[in-house]
Amino acid sequence: MRKWLLRVGYALAAIVWLLVMTLPVLAVVLSMQREIAIGDASRRQLRIFLIQERESEGISVQWTRAVSAGEHCTQSNVYYLMWKGAGDNATFCQCYDATGAVTSSMQQACPPP
């Protein structure tokens, strides 16, 4: 039992080490492309992007997910990590009709179903 537990601990340590070692690769990709997007662009997406303006610099993380509020709605949460200037975290809700056209847009969380 102890030998098995030790092997699991080594495997977890190796996985954590590999995740830590991918951070420099992600930093280089982010600096070259200015954006990393994971997921489909319409309903579910994790997007990390650089903010480089005259008075504000930093990284923003936008997480978009589908919610069921009667219509086809997505809720986006935007978080800012700024090292120059300031950014206010925000939540947006957009609802679509069957054709994909935006029917409503709110600067708040989507209403519960």
Side-chain angles (χ1 to χ4, degrees):
M1 177 73 175
R2 183 173 167 91
K3 195 178 228 182
W4 180 80
L5 197 58
L6 190 62
R7 288 182 182 171
V8 170
Y10 285 147
L12 288 174
I15 290 170
V16 168
W17 179 251
L18 288 174
L19 289 174
V20 168
M21 294 306 292
T22 60
L23 289 177
V25 174
L26 290 174
V28 168
V29 170
L30 188 60
S31 68
M32 292 177 67
Q33 295 182 353
R34 307 218 189 270
E35 177 179 326
I36 297 173
I38 301 169
D40 62 352
S42 60
R43 301 289 183 228
R44 290 181 171 233
Q45 185 179 43
L46 175 65
R47 190 173 149 235
I48 303 167
F49 56 95
L50 280 178
I51 299 170
Q52 292 182 321
E53 296 181 8
R54 180 174 289 233
E55 296 183 12
S56 59
E57 292 182 1
I59 295 175
S60 180
V61 177
Q62 177 181 355
W63 178 47
T64 303
R65 62 184 175 91
V67 295
S68 59
E71 302 177 64
H72 299 288
C73 298
T74 60
Q75 181 171 317
S76 298
N77 297 317
V78 184
Y79 305 101
Y80 295 98
L81 175 63
M82 307 297 286
W83 48 81
K84 181 180 177 186
D88 294 330
N89 297 338
T91 300
F92 301 95
C93 180
Q94 285 188 328
C95 295
Y96 306 90
D97 62 7
T99 64
V102 176
T103 59
S104 67
S105 184
M106 301 175 276
Q107 193 172 356
Q108 61 187 17
C110 291

